[in-house]
Amino acid sequence: MKKANTQKGVNSMPMGTRIVTYICLAWALIVSLVPLGWLVLSSLKKDPMARPGFQLPESICLDGYISTFKDLHVLRYFGNSLFVAGISVVISVVMISMSAYVVARMEFKGKALVNILLYSTMFIPATALTYPVYNLVNRLHLYDTRSALILIYSCSGIAVSFFVIKNYYDNIPRELEEAARIDGCGYVQTWVKVIFPIARPGIMTAAVLAFLNNWNEYYWASLVLITREKLTVPALLSTFTTAFNTNYNGLFSAMVIIILPPVLLYCIFSRFFIEALSGGAVKG
């Protein structure tokens, strides 16, 4: 029914609007796929700099992929990234989803100030936090540990996740909470049994966005970790560049391998994005 309504909405558009819409969609598709195609094509060239751009390789070279798995043991770094990103996402989403519920549903003094302070963190660049965060990590004796990255990632991107989850909470009718209270549920039980199942698309959207951000993060991973065996996959890319040479074939091959997990993750959880952006499961 939803698909039929969507098709009906597109077909009911004026011809000019429909043409402009298709042009914009085609342009967005080209902008998204051209860099990916260039990256994959370059990874198949023995010397990407000798045949730059979209020139076809003289022969398909898989040396970069083979060395990435065989020599670099990239699966070890995949495990590091998966562990750090996964644990930090669980911590941050649980913390933010409950705090967003408090701000969205309860009235208390300083509520507006809390919103302002949370949203203001969106405008603070990571480089401005380098000294205080680095100093905190050293004081906690967490330098060169995965725990340091988990601590940093759990506290990063709070404003975006808070904004997504809180806006989803605002669309849930309060009558559902009142009915749960009549049945004897407290605040925690109401959130677990009523709010969370309904707001799951919004929470999962925030979780996936946080995971993608943590997976692709390079600045803190390269600053906090120095032991090679503890590096995450973005920090691993720096090993392909030395002061005298850059292994472009290996670099591009590793980049292709690294971007596959986020792409697969988005494909698996894409329905949560659609539900969250279309207003969720609550109607009326």
Side-chain angles (χ1 to χ4, degrees):
M1 180 65 70
K2 184 183 291 186
K3 184 177 180 180
N5 292 336
T6 303
Q7 291 177 346
K8 182 179 179 181
V10 173
N11 294 331
S12 62
M13 289 182 181
M15 182 59 67
T17 304
R18 196 186 310 173
I19 293 174
V20 173
T21 300
Y22 288 145
I23 292 175
C24 293
L25 291 175
W27 175 250
L29 186 64
I30 292 173
V31 171
S32 302
L33 293 182
V34 165
L36 183 60
W38 177 86
L39 179 63
V40 173
L41 188 62
S42 298
S43 68
L44 299 176
K45 302 175 183 178
K46 187 171 184 178
D47 186 3
M49 295 297 102
R51 299 179 65 84
F54 283 93
Q55 298 184 55
L56 295 177
E58 296 179 349
S59 61
I60 295 179
C61 178
L62 300 178
D63 293 345
Y65 292 98
I66 295 174
S67 63
T68 299
F69 283 100
K70 185 178 179 180
D71 300 331
L72 290 180
H73 306 288
V74 70
L75 293 180
R76 174 195 300 166
Y77 305 101
F78 267 82
N80 292 339
S81 290
L82 186 62
F83 175 78
V84 171
I87 296 297
S88 61
V89 165
V90 171
I91 295 174
S92 64
V93 168
V94 171
M95 176 179 61
I96 295 170
S97 60
M98 291 186 174
S99 61
Y101 174 68
V102 173
V103 175
R105 292 312 210 202
M106 301 179 187
E107 297 297 331
F108 55 90
K109 292 183 179 180
K111 179 177 178 178
L113 179 62
V114 171
N115 281 310
I116 293 174
L117 291 177
L118 283 171
Y119 292 145
S120 65
T121 60
M122 298 176 64
F123 307 101
I124 303 177
T127 51
L129 301 174
T130 300
Y131 177 74
V133 173
Y134 188 82
N135 190 36
L136 176 64
V137 168
N138 279 325
R139 287 180 178 272
L140 294 176
H141 304 288
L142 296 177
Y143 184 72
D144 196 26
T145 64
R146 300 180 185 90
S147 299
L149 273 187
I150 292 175
L151 174 64
I152 295 172
Y153 290 169
S154 299
C155 302
S156 302
I158 290 180
V160 176
S161 299
F162 180 84
F163 179 79
V164 172
I165 297 175
K166 178 180 177 297
N167 284 353
Y168 208 92
Y169 285 158
D170 290 336
N171 292 326
I172 299 177
R174 293 182 178 270
E175 290 78 5
L176 296 176
E177 295 176 84
E178 295 173 358
R181 299 286 171 75
I182 294 175
D183 290 338
C185 293
Y187 286 111
V188 176
Q189 288 180 314
T190 301
W191 183 83
V192 172
K193 296 181 178 180
V194 178
I195 301 300
F196 177 75
I198 298 174
R200 185 174 57 181
I203 295 174
M204 291 301 298
T205 298
V208 172
L209 291 175
F211 182 87
L212 296 179
N213 182 64
N214 295 341
W215 180 273
N216 296 320
E217 202 280 326
Y218 172 78
Y219 182 74
W220 292 115
S222 61
L223 183 66
V224 173
L225 299 177
I226 58 175
T227 302
R228 184 182 176 88
E229 288 73 18
K230 298 178 182 178
L231 294 178
T232 58
V233 283
L236 177 66
L237 296 179
S238 62
T239 62
F240 288 93
T241 301
T242 66
F244 305 100
N245 186 32
T246 299
N247 181 7
Y248 287 105
N249 177 255
L251 177 62
F252 292 147
S253 301
M255 291 174 67
V256 172
I257 296 172
I258 288 171
I259 65 176
L260 286 179
V263 172
L264 294 176
L265 183 69
Y266 177 80
C267 293
I268 295 173
F269 292 98
S270 59
R271 65 186 184 91
F272 290 109
F273 283 88
I274 297 173
E275 290 181 21
L277 294 176
S278 61
V282 181
K283 303 294 182 182

